[in-house]
Amino acid sequence: MANLQALADAVIKGNQTSAVSITKQALDEGIGPKKILEEGLIAGMGVVGVRFKANEIYIPEVLISARAMKMEILEPKLAAAGVNPIGKALIGTVQGDLHDIGKNLVIMMLKGAGFHVEDVGVDVAPDVFVQKIKASNAQIVGLSALLTTTMPAMDKTLQAIRQAGLNCKVMIGGAPVTQNYADKIGADGYAPDAASAVDVAKKFLN
Ligand code: B1M
């Protein structure tokens, strides 16, 4: 019998081989994809997030755990079973900025928490954000910036989103970004790291 705690442990340890084999075994045994997702993958990634926030583990371990999740196996089964993600997010790095490692980590953690996430890439202009948000109907928008010189692009993007009248919550983050800056430009939320981004996104849903 497939053990979902062992699946969670495989994600925590970053053991992709074991995570994939337990996921496949669980599906073969008829365990629902939602149960596998929640009690195996999300449970494991939740522990990873807590340990990352507490500085017990670092970026490489988080990346290895995220890779072990192999959502590709479960995603079609979840869709076929009509299981909806807990929320829809759209994340990108703002105009002029090419840094994407932190953004990718935020995306992985959000996916690990059960969000559907669209990655719109790097160097994303405000009007492109607006178009993509309109097309995706995302409830949560994430803006990342790593340069002090590209932080103003967050402000411009936020203004473009507000002017377009889009009904979404905007979270910002990245090494030079602070809660003060988020308050100054009127962002709905700020997260200092990828695990906290999940907490902020979940708060937006309530
Ligand atoms: Co650049 N770079 N870089 N760089 N680079 C920094 C950021 C810098 C601090 C280095 C330094 O001088 N000490 C400095 C910025 C100075 C400043 O503005 N204050 C800098 C500079 C100056 C530059 C260039 C201008 C260099 C040049 O060409 N002269 C140039 C700019 C290019 C551009 O963007 N237009 C440049 C280029 C590059 C590379 C392309 C070589 C490469 C990027 C590769 C890539 O991303 N694919 C690069 C790198 C790797 C860095 C450093 C070394 C590492 C950044 C990183 O990935 N950190 C960086 C120095 C450093 O930080 N030690 C530096 C790891 C990552 C996981 O952390 O992105 O902070 P971070 O993400 C965290 C949180 O911030 C948060 O969660 C993540 C994980 O917990 N977070 C969010 C991030 N986004 C979030 C969004 C959220 C919520 C949380 O909500 C939506």
Side-chain angles (χ1 to χ4, degrees):
M1 178 87 180
N3 179 343
L4 296 183
Q5 182 55 51
L7 177 55
D9 289 340
V11 171
I12 296 165
K13 289 183 192 134
N15 186 337
Q16 193 190 67
T17 312
S18 171
V20 167
S21 100
I22 301 170
T23 302
K24 285 183 176 164
Q25 188 195 346
L27 287 168
D28 289 345
E29 286 171 5
I31 300 179
K34 186 167 187 275
K35 190 173 165 74
I36 300 171
L37 178 72
E38 285 173 354
E39 294 178 24
L41 302 183
I42 293 180
M45 213 50 192
V47 173
V48 172
V50 170
R51 291 187 182 169
F52 177 60
K53 247 193 328 195
N55 289 324
E56 288 168 15
I57 58 168
Y58 299 98
I59 291 161
E61 287 100 321
V62 178
L63 292 173
I64 292 167
S65 288
R67 200 183 53 190
M69 281 187 66
K70 268 274 178 198
M71 282 300 289
E72 300 90 308
I73 301 170
L74 223 45
E75 265 164 3
K77 309 279 181 194
L78 287 164
V83 178
N84 292 321
I86 64 167
K88 252 185 171 185
L90 182 144
I91 316 272
T93 303
V94 296
Q95 190 164 38
D97 202 318
L98 302 175
H99 295 84
D100 68 355
I101 299 168
K103 166 187 73 67
N104 294 343
L105 216 50
V106 170
I107 290 172
M108 285 172 189
M109 294 300 289
L110 285 173
K111 284 187 176 172
F115 283 86
H116 170 84
V117 189
E118 184 177 346
D119 179 2
V120 292
V122 296
D123 189 17
V124 183
D127 59 318
V128 176
F129 265 109
V130 168
Q131 282 165 28
K132 302 267 182 190
I133 299 164
K134 278 183 184 162
S136 71
N137 246 334
Q139 306 146 287
I140 298 163
V141 174
L143 311 178
S144 181
L146 260 287
L147 300 170
T148 43
T149 49
T150 56
M151 283 168 66
M154 289 182 144
D155 191 7
K156 282 188 189 145
T157 306
L158 191 61
Q159 284 181 37
I161 292 169
R162 302 287 192 236
Q163 269 161 22
L166 296 169
N167 185 21
C168 56
K169 298 277 188 189
V170 179
M171 154 168 61
I172 65 171
V177 181
T178 60
Q179 180 66 58
N180 270 351
Y181 185 69
D183 294 342
K184 189 177 150 204
I185 67 171
D188 300 297
Y190 158 75
D193 56 61
S196 309
V198 172
D199 301 336
V200 174
K202 282 185 175 167
K203 263 193 209 139
F204 284 163
L205 296 180
N206 296 328

